[in-house]
């Protein structure tokens, strides 16, 4: 596909699911527009376009795509180079781990928004336990490395960015990563496409948002 195609991403500035698409678009050097909305007051046009009422939406010459994993696939298939593996089984395994990443993003959100210490401890513990599942595929070299970038990288980088910010806001949010996961998170954080995937004042916005929601981690931090 050439870049006559008009690509527009509909976003909420703090959304990790949108950030996945931004990372991939940046990594591929695809030209795109981005329109931010406030999820608490979604404009009428968004409500009409988004069947699930969620961001991201990707508008491709006006056609609507939704669900971040589907959008990643579309971008990967449409703009070179391909990052999903050629091998069917390997590609399916990547997609499965991307789903797993989505479930960890939900847990991260629950940790961030927790209203008391008990929920913080519970969600931090859940995350810590779940991260162990990543050790085997990482040790196998299933995902990206310093040369090869994968869609799994794009899907997990927003998670590690938020967990890092949360642990700075309050050490009680600190999730201890298994060594392989720590190395992966560090490598992803250093990539330009990840650094450029959020608004400049993202850390301040992130903490202001949590404060506005009465998140215990910020109030007690
Ligand atoms: N499964 C969806 C999740 C997207 C999602 O949860 N987006 C949030 C913002 S980060 C949203 O739009 N929430 C609005 C709502 O649920 O009403 C995806 O992968 O795209």
């Amino acid at each position: 596909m050439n870049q006559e195609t008009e690509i527009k991403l509909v976003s909420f500035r703090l959304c990790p699911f949108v950030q996945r698409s931004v990372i991939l678009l940046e990594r591929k050097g695809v030209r795109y527009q981005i329109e931010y909305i406030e999820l608490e007051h979604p404009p009428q046009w968004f409500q009409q376009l988004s069947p699930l009422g969620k961001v991201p939406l990707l508008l491709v010459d006006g056609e609507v795509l939704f669900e971040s994993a589907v959008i990643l696939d579309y971008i990967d298939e449409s703009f070179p180079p391909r990052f999903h593996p050629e091998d069917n089984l390997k590609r399916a395994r990547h997609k499965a781990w991307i789903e797993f990443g989505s479930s960890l993003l939900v847990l991260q959100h629950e940790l961030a928004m927790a209203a008391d210490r008990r929920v913080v401890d519970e969600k931090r513990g859940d995350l810590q336990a779940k991260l162990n599942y990543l050790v085997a595929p990482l040790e196998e070299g299933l995902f990206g490395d310093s040369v090869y970038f994968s869609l799994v990288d794009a899907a997990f980088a927003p998670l590690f960015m938020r967990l890092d910010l949360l642990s700075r806001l309050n050490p009680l949010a600190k999730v201890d990563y298994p060594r392989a996961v720590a190395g992966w998170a560090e490598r992803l954080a250093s990539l330009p496409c990840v650094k450029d995937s959020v608004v400049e004042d993202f850390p301040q916005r992130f903490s202001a948002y949590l404060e506005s929601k009465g998140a215990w981690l910020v109030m007690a931090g």
Side-chain angles (χ1 to χ4, degrees):
M1 181 167 298
N2 61 41
Q3 261 278 231
E4 309 276 286
T5 313
E6 200 176 288
I7 297 289
K8 183 168 166 181
L9 194 57
V10 180
S11 174
F12 166 60
R13 283 180 179 80
L14 299 176
C15 178
F17 295 97
V18 180
Q19 195 187 345
R20 292 170 155 184
S21 305
V22 177
I23 291 170
L24 190 58
L25 290 164
E26 291 286 333
R27 179 77 189 203
K28 286 183 181 249
V30 176
R31 280 198 310 276
Y32 64 98
Q33 295 168 271
I34 192 156
E35 176 152 2
Y36 297 106
I37 62 161
E38 292 306 326
L39 281 173
E40 281 168 18
H41 308 286
Q44 184 96 34
W45 62 262
F46 173 75
Q47 295 179 45
Q48 276 162 0
L49 289 183
S50 179
L52 298 171
K54 294 182 184 201
V55 290
L57 293 183
L58 192 75
L59 305 184
V60 183
D61 285 338
E63 296 289 344
V64 183
L65 294 180
F66 50 97
E67 281 300 313
S68 62
V70 174
I71 292 172
L72 288 183
D73 278 352
Y74 168 77
I75 296 169
D76 196 49
E77 287 164 9
S78 306
F79 302 97
R82 286 294 291 273
F83 292 131
H84 248 337
E86 277 298 312
D87 178 78
N88 286 353
L89 179 58
K90 212 169 172 193
R91 192 167 64 253
R93 291 178 73 202
H94 276 215
K95 291 184 186 194
W97 285 111
I98 289 170
E99 277 307 306
F100 181 67
S102 297
S103 74
L104 296 193
L105 278 174
V106 172
L107 263 182
Q108 173 277 141
H109 183 69
E110 289 169 352
L111 170 66
M113 301 293 272
D116 59 47
R117 169 83 191 262
R118 185 192 59 78
V119 180
V120 165
D121 289 344
E122 181 192 321
K123 300 298 172 187
R124 192 196 53 240
D126 288 351
L127 272 164
Q128 207 147 319
K130 292 276 184 188
L131 287 176
N132 288 319
Y133 284 99
L134 292 167
V135 173
L138 282 169
E139 286 180 347
E140 178 194 331
L142 180 66
F143 310 147
D145 56 30
S146 53
V147 179
Y148 165 69
F149 181 83
S150 78
L151 269 61
V152 187
D153 289 333
F156 273 80
L159 172 75
F160 296 132
M161 183 182 278
R162 279 158 188 73
L163 290 180
D164 180 53
L165 281 175
L166 285 176
S167 71
R168 288 166 201 266
L169 286 171
N170 189 325
L172 290 172
K174 188 167 174 13
V175 177
D176 287 324
Y177 294 167
R179 196 142 58 90
V181 175
W184 186 32
E186 203 175 313
R187 184 172 62 74
L188 294 182
S190 72
L191 297 176
C193 61
V194 172
K195 290 185 185 160
D196 294 343
S197 64
V198 285
V199 288
E200 224 168 88
D201 55 352
F202 181 80
Q204 295 86 330
R205 278 181 185 271
F206 184 65
S207 94
Y209 178 78
L210 295 182
E211 195 173 342
S212 75
K213 298 287 173 196
W216 186 86
L217 281 171
V218 180
M219 307 316 258

